[in-house]
Amino acid sequence: MTTSIPNIRPMREEDLDTVLGIEEKVFLEPWSRRSYMFEIYSNRYSIPVVLEVDNQIIGHAVVWRLFEEFHIATIAIAPEHQGKGWGKFLMNALLGMSDAAEYAILEVRKSNHRAIRLYEKLGFKVTGVRHRYYQNGEDALVMRKDLIP
Ligand SMILES: CC(C)(COP(=O)(O)OP(=O)(O)OC[C@H]1O[C@@H](n2cnc3c(N)ncnc32)[C@H](O)[C@@H]1OP(=O)(O)O)[C@@H](O)C(=O)NCCC(=O)NCCS
């Protein structure tokens, strides 16, 4: 039996070809290279990470630690690696980086049942709707999880 060895580490500029390749495959409105460059070099509140399995990047995420708020800005797993528990693994690792934040929050497309299911399993609850939040006019659900009892 082989064991996959996962590693989560800070995203670097040289990861961006792979990260953008995943973005293009999984998102209707992928983030640009410029956005990721901002997250890596300029946004002091940002934690951009990649998930490597056996030294290969299979997913990535960006979170913003904004004082009491821990905002999951984006998360993606490459299509061929989805449904194997890596999304949950990455989310749990991110939540472990929340430090003194009081709550975690994210927006998700109303139609993204897979992601919504994952967030619910991790204790997130829908707390609001942002109407026509996405470029194609789709609503976003706002989901939130309290991090302190
Ligand atoms: C959403 C995403 C990050 C989840 O990652 P993943 O590795 O596929 O998910 P996991 O294998 O960890 O599954 C976690 C949970 O998601 C749900 N899930 C997984 N596959 C599913 C499917 N095909 N249908 C419905 N729910 C599913 C299940 O509840 C699962 O929990 P379980 O295995 O205990 O039943 C990933 O599918 C993805 O990158 N999607 C495209 C980008 C995206 O939508 N990002 C989120 C933007 S808000």
Side-chain angles (χ1 to χ4, degrees):
M1 200 182 98
T2 54
T3 313
S4 299
I5 302 169
N7 177 38
I8 293 168
R9 62 160 174 81
M11 188 184 289
R12 301 190 285 254
E13 186 175 350
E14 56 266 33
D15 300 326
L16 288 184
D17 285 347
T18 310
V19 166
L20 294 171
I22 296 173
E23 285 275 307
E24 291 287 338
K25 284 190 215 156
V26 303
F27 287 122
L28 233 52
E29 294 163 20
W31 284 21
S32 63
R33 183 176 295 270
R34 197 184 159 136
S35 300
Y36 276 104
M37 291 292 276
F38 175 74
E39 300 301 330
I40 293 170
Y41 290 116
S42 306
N43 185 352
R44 59 191 276 242
Y45 298 108
S46 185
I47 311 173
V49 298
V50 293
L51 166 62
E52 291 176 321
V53 175
D54 298 334
N55 294 317
Q56 188 203 344
I57 294 173
I58 67 144
H60 59 272
V62 174
V63 294
W64 298 320
R65 206 162 41 198
L66 298 156
F67 308 96
E68 76 282 2
E69 175 171 316
F70 190 69
H71 196 125
I72 293 145
T74 191
I75 177 168
I77 300 293
E80 60 276 27
H81 295 280
Q82 290 179 8
K84 298 177 185 167
W86 292 119
K88 195 191 269 179
F89 177 83
L90 182 53
M91 275 296 291
N92 273 320
L94 295 174
L95 291 169
M97 300 173 191
S98 58
D99 273 6
E102 293 169 16
Y103 60 91
I105 197 159
L106 54 84
E107 290 95 15
V108 58
R109 280 178 192 273
K110 219 173 160 179
S111 63
N112 195 346
H113 303 293
R114 175 183 282 211
I116 293 167
R117 191 81 199 92
L118 167 60
Y119 303 144
E120 281 174 346
K121 282 210 167 156
L122 293 172
F124 283 79
K125 292 194 167 58
V126 176
T127 55
V129 180
R130 295 198 208 283
H131 293 288
R132 303 184 60 79
Y133 180 79
Y134 297 100
Q135 275 171 31
N136 72 346
E138 187 172 353
D139 294 348
L141 300 182
V142 179
M143 297 187 75
R144 178 181 157 130
K145 174 186 166 79
D146 287 331
L147 299 173
I148 48 172

